[in-house]
Amino acid sequence: MKQLYDVLIIGGGVVGSAIAREMSRYDLKIGVLEKNLDVCYETSGRNSGVVHGGFAYDTGSLKAKLCVEGNKIMGQLAKELDFKFIRCGKVLVGNTQEDMDTLKRTIKQGEANGASGLELVDKERLHELVPAVVGEFAMFSHNSGIVDPFNYTIALAENAHANGVDYYFDHQVTAIERDDDGIYSLTTSHGVFHTRWVVNGAGLGCGHISDLLGIKGYKIIGSKGDYIILDKRTGPLLPMPVYPVPSNTYMGIHVTNTTDGNVIIGPNADMVTDFTYYGVPQENMDYLAESASGLWPCIRKQDYIRNYSGILPKWVDDNGAIQDFRIEIRDEIAPRAINLVGIESPGLTAAVPIARYAIGLMAEREKLEPNPGFQPVRRGITRFEELTKEEQNRLIRENPDYGEVICRCEKVTRAEILAAIHNPLGVGTMAGIKYRTRSMMGRCQGGYCQMRIAQMIEEELGKKETEVQYAGKGSQMFFGKVRQEA
């Protein structure tokens, strides 16, 4: 007898996992089909980590409405789900009369969108907010902030899973069919799944999944942004994100602080058709540093510790104009299929309101019964470094594994690594441990701890050394022994 789901969500990124978590409030059998080996290997984990205020989007658009809603509830979500969020504010820095006019229009648009805490500040106030910035004035957004995008996504997924949602990794959807009874059959790389409802939360793959559903015609382009990560010693020089005055379609190369004390430079915006290439050319790094130095002249090569890139899925019309989020049910083509297209920035900020909007469409078509056992609270892995000395000593007495530091740069203990290896979602990759603990994210980028963590994965999960993967399928850390014992 085939297993029948009420809902199968294609894509386990921040939006797919937000939908899974919010749907688990109801009495539904839910599954998530994710092609990668974890929930944040694509757009959800490759961004600036900024919680936007909602002032940058056209009034009346879903981007504006859902971003403002997401900004307002982010603090409560962080408390419920135990991820890092700091409402530190953000400045958009200007120098010319044209910049001033743009900022005044931006404030007016933001207020029309329902954003609050927007004000123009002069040079003196600007330099009180960000002493190292270069600029004559700015728009200060009090309610903007920063979030840990990895643990936000992981928290949503873990809470969904705790409330009964099944997660299937390495399950890429290759075909979708609907029978005469209206049941969908989703063919994946590991078998066929059956469901009454389908949700297209595929992010970069949204256009392809939409085509498989029969909803054709969406043109999706990729906007690739490159970033540089700076050492934590630069963190005290940047108390909040610093942006240039935006253009109509691009926020510009900015400088962003992170919830863990690093500084991020970027992104640029290159239109791409390859949604799998994440390399960062040297000339792009040079361009990022030169451009951002005009705003924040504290960028030095000796502080570079890593680069990365991310790709946003932008839905464009025939003229190439970027469109709003599309969240729809096309009853005449694909009944009981929720189709999400072009969920780019501010998708991270808006993820939970996006989920609630999508569920609202579903609720218009069938009655949803509450799940009486729904638990909104999730607790993440204890961060040993952030505890007081008294708390640290107590933990070490209770569990000696807290007394052994595995990652020296980020001061991550053996107990934290073990908790990450045995995570609720069953993720066993090196990157999965990295995103859950910040191990391998420090100055040496794993030079000290990486091999020790790989060995722990082998021992704890019973893997051979050739089975330990870094992130994606086929990313083996080892292919055999250099020397065999006699």
Side-chain angles (χ1 to χ4, degrees):
M1 181 177 177
K2 65 185 181 183
Q3 184 181 38
L4 180 65
Y5 280 89
D6 291 309
V7 185
L8 282 174
I9 301 163
I10 303 171
V14 68
V15 171
S17 291
I19 292 171
R21 189 253 186 172
E22 292 302 306
M23 279 190 173
S24 71
R25 294 177 182 271
Y26 303 97
D27 186 18
L28 298 166
K29 183 172 179 54
I30 305 164
V32 177
L33 302 174
E34 168 55 52
K35 70 178 182 180
N36 293 297
L37 302 183
D38 202 351
V39 294
C40 47
Y41 282 176
E42 292 188 355
T43 307
S44 299
R46 293 175 170 272
N47 53 70
S48 300
V50 174
V51 174
H52 295 292
F55 51 78
Y57 314 104
D58 291 342
T59 300
S61 67
L62 281 179
K63 288 181 179 178
K65 177 178 183 293
L66 301 179
C67 181
V68 169
E69 290 179 12
N71 181 289
K72 289 178 179 177
I73 65 173
M74 192 62 72
Q76 180 61 35
L77 288 172
K79 290 178 183 177
E80 287 182 351
L81 298 174
D82 194 20
F83 61 87
K84 282 189 175 182
F85 164 62
I86 302 171
R87 200 177 291 279
C88 56
K90 176 171 76 174
V91 288
L92 276 60
V93 179
N95 293 283
T96 68
Q97 184 58 49
E98 183 180 1
D99 289 342
M100 176 63 78
D101 294 341
T102 299
L103 291 180
K104 288 179 178 178
R105 289 194 299 270
T106 300
I107 289 176
K108 186 176 180 180
Q109 177 173 270
E111 290 173 344
N113 292 348
S116 60
L118 306 177
E119 66 168 318
L120 286 172
V121 297
D122 60 18
K123 187 174 183 177
E124 182 180 1
R125 175 62 173 146
L126 171 61
H127 287 87
E128 289 175 0
L129 294 169
V130 189
V133 76
V134 175
E136 295 298 316
F137 50 83
M139 188 197 84
F140 177 34
S141 171
H142 289 255
N143 291 324
S144 295
I146 52 176
V147 68
D148 178 345
F150 304 113
N151 268 300
Y152 178 32
T153 306
I154 290 165
L156 288 165
E158 287 187 354
N159 188 238
H161 180 67
N163 283 296
V165 176
D166 297 326
Y167 269 75
Y168 298 93
F169 296 112
D170 189 26
H171 278 66
Q172 183 166 4
V173 174
T174 57
I176 300 175
E177 296 181 356
R178 186 167 60 90
D179 65 20
D180 293 339
D181 294 326
I183 301 300
Y184 286 93
S185 296
L186 277 59
T187 302
T188 77
S189 47
H190 295 283
V192 179
F193 291 74
H194 307 280
T195 183
R196 296 191 306 111
W197 282 83
V198 177
V199 178
N200 175 12
L204 288 170
C206 66
H208 176 61
I209 298 301
S210 185
D211 286 345
L212 292 181
L213 286 168
I215 307 172
K216 300 182 181 294
Y218 287 111
K219 182 180 180 181
I220 306 299
I221 63 171
S223 176
K224 179 173 178 286
D226 301 322
Y227 298 85
I228 304 168
I229 305 177
L230 303 184
D231 188 272
K232 282 187 175 181
R233 65 188 179 194
T234 63
L237 299 173
L238 190 74
M240 66 182 66
V242 173
Y243 281 58
V245 174
S247 68
N248 289 332
T249 59
Y250 175 48
M251 291 301 293
I253 294 170
H254 44 271
V255 188
T256 306
N257 54 327
T258 75
T259 57
D260 290 293
N262 297 95
V263 171
I264 297 173
I265 311 299
N268 54 343
D270 293 332
M271 295 301 111
V272 297
T273 56
D274 183 350
F275 293 174
T276 63
Y277 175 68
Y278 292 107
V280 181
Q282 181 63 50
E283 57 266 28
N284 288 15
M285 292 179 63
D286 294 340
Y287 173 69
L288 291 174
E290 181 181 355
S291 298
S293 291
L295 278 175
W296 189 71
C298 304
I299 302 168
R300 303 178 301 171
K301 284 190 175 180
Q302 58 262 44
D303 291 325
Y304 294 10
I305 63 171
R306 191 176 180 87
N307 60 57
Y308 70 99
S309 65
I311 304 171
L312 295 173
K314 293 180 180 284
W315 166 36
V316 298
D317 66 13
D318 292 338
N319 297 317
I322 298 167
Q323 302 297 296
D324 193 12
F325 293 160
R326 175 57 62 90
I327 307 171
E328 63 181 358
I329 297 178
R330 301 280 287 276
D331 295 299
E332 75 285 5
I333 299 175
R336 296 202 305 273
I338 307 174
N339 196 37
L340 291 86
V341 175
I343 308 298
E344 50 145 340
S345 183
L348 187 72
T349 305
V352 170
I354 288 170
R356 293 173 179 173
Y357 185 95
I359 293 168
L361 297 179
M362 183 180 181
E364 291 173 359
R365 290 159 174 82
E366 70 174 60
K367 183 176 175 57
L368 299 178
E369 297 293 341
N371 172 9
F374 176 77
Q375 172 55 260
V377 175
R378 168 261 188 191
R379 285 291 166 257
I381 296 171
T382 299
R383 294 284 181 91
F384 184 79
E385 185 195 14
E386 297 173 359
L387 302 177
T388 65
K389 286 295 182 183
E390 291 76 13
E391 291 170 328
Q392 290 177 345
N393 289 333
R394 177 182 57 79
L395 276 184
I396 292 170
R397 287 194 298 270
E398 295 173 357
N399 181 356
D401 285 333
Y402 280 107
E404 181 182 352
V405 173
I406 299 295
C407 172
R408 288 181 176 178
C409 295
E410 296 296 317
K411 300 179 179 62
V412 182
T413 65
R414 180 178 180 83
E416 293 164 81
I417 301 294
L418 288 172
I421 290 173
H422 297 290
N423 65 84
L425 299 179
V427 174
T429 62
M430 296 289 289
I433 308 309
K434 175 181 178 178
Y435 295 156
R436 286 162 176 78
T437 64
R438 281 196 58 80
S439 56
M440 301 176 280
M441 284 192 177
R443 180 77 199 189
C444 82
Q445 289 290 295
Y448 174 76
C449 63
Q450 186 167 261
M451 293 303 98
R452 299 179 72 189
I453 293 170
Q455 184 177 8
M456 290 176 67
I457 290 174
E458 293 171 30
E459 294 170 351
E460 292 296 317
L461 301 182
K463 291 179 179 285
K464 298 177 182 178
E465 64 267 21
T466 53
E467 295 174 333
V468 177
Q469 302 195 75
Y470 182 75
K473 190 175 182 180
S475 62
Q476 283 87 352
M477 293 287 293
F478 314 106
F479 289 87
K481 295 184 182 295
V482 176
R483 293 185 297 179
Q484 296 288 342
E485 294 182 7

